[in-house]
Amino acid sequence: MPGAPWKDSEKKIARRVFEAALQAELAEVMAEFKQRAARAINPDDMWEIQDYLAHAQRQIDAKYDYRYPQLEFVFGRLLRDKRIHLQDLHGLAEEKLETIRRIGSL
């Protein structure tokens, strides 16, 4: 069950993995935004880009929650979505890794 206390060393690992995954996803959104903007021809294209960005923002905001009680769920989802790998989390307590693996396999 998620909720075990996080040691300082685990917090550092979690922050590094979380930030790397978030920055990678933001970079993908930025690249897609630039491609769409470059292809924009008429005013309607602007609103489609705006819709894309709003949708991407909602998805990212829902996925990336850096609160310790949520991190095992966040990492499980990121593992399932192949945004992180289990070895990225090396150093976390085995009970946390087990929860993350279980969530990632759903």
Side-chain angles (χ1 to χ4, degrees):
M1 184 71 183
W6 288 75
K7 297 177 187 173
D8 287 342
S9 61
E10 293 178 314
K11 290 177 181 181
K12 289 177 185 175
I13 294 165
R15 177 56 75 180
R16 178 182 43 78
V17 172
F18 181 93
E19 287 299 327
L22 175 58
Q23 292 307 312
E25 192 155 351
L26 289 172
E28 291 172 15
V29 172
M30 178 69 85
E32 179 65 19
F33 161 71
K34 288 178 179 181
Q35 289 175 0
R36 288 176 182 232
R39 292 189 309 258
I41 296 170
N42 59 55
D44 286 341
D45 296 334
M46 288 188 306
W47 309 132
E48 288 178 22
I49 294 168
Q50 179 185 21
D51 291 343
Y52 164 75
L53 289 173
H55 178 73
Q57 182 181 19
R58 283 190 303 275
Q59 285 191 312
I60 288 171
D61 287 347
K63 188 184 307 183
Y64 291 91
D65 181 353
Y66 195 85
R67 291 179 292 164
Y68 294 111
Q70 298 301 315
L71 279 179
E72 291 170 56
F73 294 109
V74 170
F75 290 146
R77 181 176 181 184
L78 294 174
L79 183 64
R80 184 180 61 234
D81 293 347
K82 299 187 182 350
R83 296 230 165 249
I84 64 171
H85 300 92
L86 205 51
Q87 63 264 27
D88 298 334
L89 300 170
H90 178 75
L92 296 187
E94 186 55 40
E95 63 188 35
K96 289 182 179 79
L97 291 173
E98 180 56 37
T99 301
I100 292 165
R101 277 193 290 269
R102 190 171 55 252
I103 293 167
S105 69
L106 297 176

